[in-house]
Amino acid sequence: MSFHTPTGTRGARFPLPAPVVRLVNRFTARRVRSTGGRALMGGMDVLVLTTVGAKSGEERSTPLAWFPGGDGTWLVVASAAGQVRNPAWFHNLAAHPDRVRIELDGQRIDVTAEQLHDDERARAWADLTAAGPQFGKYAEATDRELPVVRLRRRPDAA
């Protein structure tokens, strides 16, 4: 269950200042919670990912597009819109992969996070960029490999 994706040397600039992003994320998370997250972001389904801060230990919630990962799992991409660095939620997952929760369809589900690597990542990447072509554009904007993370329901949460 290793999490490792180095920071890139080039990447897109995020078009909004951090306070605006936090406001949009709060609004989107509320909307996901009230609607179940169906087709919210550019026609893609959205979940709310709650992680535990790597340094702060506080819960942090982020709305993310998700894709079916097979066997009842969910896939998310740490794209940060093609920025040079991985998003903060990815670092939180790396620090605490077993202290993660998602919300979708009116449910709160405890999950475990696992970064996909090598052939498994390549297969998932092909599927999710076919379903969400903007992720391919994000990948072109940076020289870092965008991490793909599988979220699997924790057995004790079933």
Side-chain angles (χ1 to χ4, degrees), residues 71-93:
D71 296 331
T73 63
W74 303 267
L75 298 177
V76 294
V77 180
S79 67
Q83 292 182 62
V84 71
R85 295 176 188 251
N86 292 313
W89 64 260
F90 180 77
H91 297 289
N92 294 345
L93 285 180

Side-chain angles (χ1 to χ4, degrees), residues 7-8 11 14 26 30 33 37-38 42 47 66 71 94 96-97 104 116 135 143-144 146-148 150-151:
T7 297
F14 204 73
R26 277 196 298 269
R30 268 196 303 263
R33 290 174 176 127
R38 296 292 171 209
L47 56 77
W66 68 273
D71 296 331
H96 305 288
L104 78 154
L116 302 184
F135 287 98
D143 59 349
R144 72 179 167 91
L146 302 184
V148 177
R150 175 183 294 124
L151 304 170

Side-chain angles (χ1 to χ4, degrees), residues 86-128:
N86 292 313
W89 64 260
F90 180 77
H91 297 289
N92 294 345
L93 285 180
H96 305 288
D98 295 322
R99 295 178 63 194
V100 184
R101 180 178 67 241
I102 62 172
E103 296 174 62
L104 78 154
D105 295 331
Q107 298 178 50
R108 293 177 132 198
I109 305 165
D110 292 327
V111 297
T112 300
E114 165 193 18
Q115 182 178 354
L116 302 184
H117 297 284
D118 304 322
D119 291 343
E120 190 173 27
R121 184 205 176 272
R123 284 189 302 275
W125 183 253
D127 290 345
L128 67 87

Side-chain angles (χ1 to χ4, degrees), residues 23-67:
L23 182 66
V24 169
N25 280 350
R26 277 196 298 269
F27 171 79
T28 304
R30 268 196 303 263
R31 189 136 181 250
V32 168
R33 290 174 176 127
S34 68
T35 67
R38 296 292 171 209
L40 276 180
M41 285 184 175
M44 293 185 296
D45 294 334
V46 179
L47 56 77
V48 176
L49 177 77
T50 300
T51 60
V52 173
K55 293 180 184 176
S56 71
E58 295 179 21
E59 286 194 347
R60 307 284 186 207
S61 295
T62 307
L64 298 172
W66 68 273
F67 303 87

